[in-house]
């Protein structure tokens, strides 16, 4: 009887504590070549990776070298980050002939960009709902390859 009473009284506590963890993901984006425009990041589950409809995103004013972007209220899960330097502020990656990005692009785990974007498996990381910081570097296919020497 005592175990039953403890179990019944503990149910409201379990229900209140059973909410999914949500936290802040901080993305330190390196190799920002110019302090102009914004650095944009998308945090994507596998189904939205490399698409325009990732459910979590963040922006920060571009800073030469490193720019920190935060994304809040992110539930625990497996994600990949895609990032770009929006130099002209138009909200999209500008492209040249054959779709080659004119602006810097990067992915979590610094996943390699070979003849096309990386696969989700190369960029995926686990987020447990607790505050976390990850780092990635932008890559450029046209123009300056990174910050100029000071």
């Amino acid at each position: 009887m005592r175990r039953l009473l403890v179990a019944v009284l503990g149910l409201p506590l379990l229900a209140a504590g059973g909410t999914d963890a949500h936290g802040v993901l901080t993305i330190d984006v390196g190799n920002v070549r110019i302090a102009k425009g914004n650095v944009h990041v998308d945090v994507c589950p596998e189904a939205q990776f490399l698409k325009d409809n990732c459910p979590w995103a963040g922006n920060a004013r571009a800073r030469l070298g490193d720019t920190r972007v935060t994304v809040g209220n992110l539930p625990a899960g497996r994600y990949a980050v895609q990032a770009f330097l929006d130099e002209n502020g138009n909200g999209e990656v500008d492209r040249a002939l054959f779709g080659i990005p004119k602006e810097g692009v990067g992915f979590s785990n610094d996943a390699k960009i070979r003849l096309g974007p990386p696969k989700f498996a190369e960029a995926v990381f686990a987020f447990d709902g607790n505050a976390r910081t990850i780092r990635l570097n932008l890559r450029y296919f046209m123009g300056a390859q990174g910050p100029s020497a000071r």
Side-chain angles (χ1 to χ4, degrees), residues 8-141:
V8 171
L9 291 175
L11 281 177
L13 294 175
L14 286 175
T19 59
D20 290 335
H22 288 71
V24 174
L25 177 65
T26 301
I27 305 99
D28 286 337
V29 179
N31 200 35
V32 178
R33 72 178 173 190
I34 189 170
K36 178 182 175 189
N38 296 303
V39 173
H40 177 86
V41 300
D42 290 313
V43 182
C44 311
E46 187 169 10
Q48 281 87 24
F49 184 58
L50 301 176
K51 298 181 181 165
D52 290 333
N53 63 343
C54 292
W56 299 277
N59 288 289
R61 294 289 303 154
R63 297 182 59 190
L64 185 64
D66 293 322
T67 301
R68 178 168 275 188
V69 183
T70 57
V71 176
N73 202 30
L74 183 66
R78 291 171 37 87
Y79 301 103
V81 169
Q82 52 196 37
F84 71 96
L85 172 58
D86 186 10
E87 292 181 30
N88 61 5
N90 69 352
E92 58 189 44
V93 177
D94 294 329
R95 298 185 181 277
L97 193 61
F98 304 114
I100 297 171
K102 291 181 178 180
E103 299 169 308
V105 295
F107 299 91
S108 45
N109 298 334
D110 271 334
K112 301 291 182 221
I113 302 168
R114 301 176 181 99
L115 303 181
K119 301 204 179 327
F120 182 79
E122 297 167 321
V124 70
F125 64 95
F127 181 73
D128 65 5
N130 293 312
R132 179 174 178 190
T133 300
I134 64 169
R135 180 170 177 80
L136 62 90
N137 290 298
L138 296 179
R139 292 185 179 86
Y140 302 89
F141 300 94

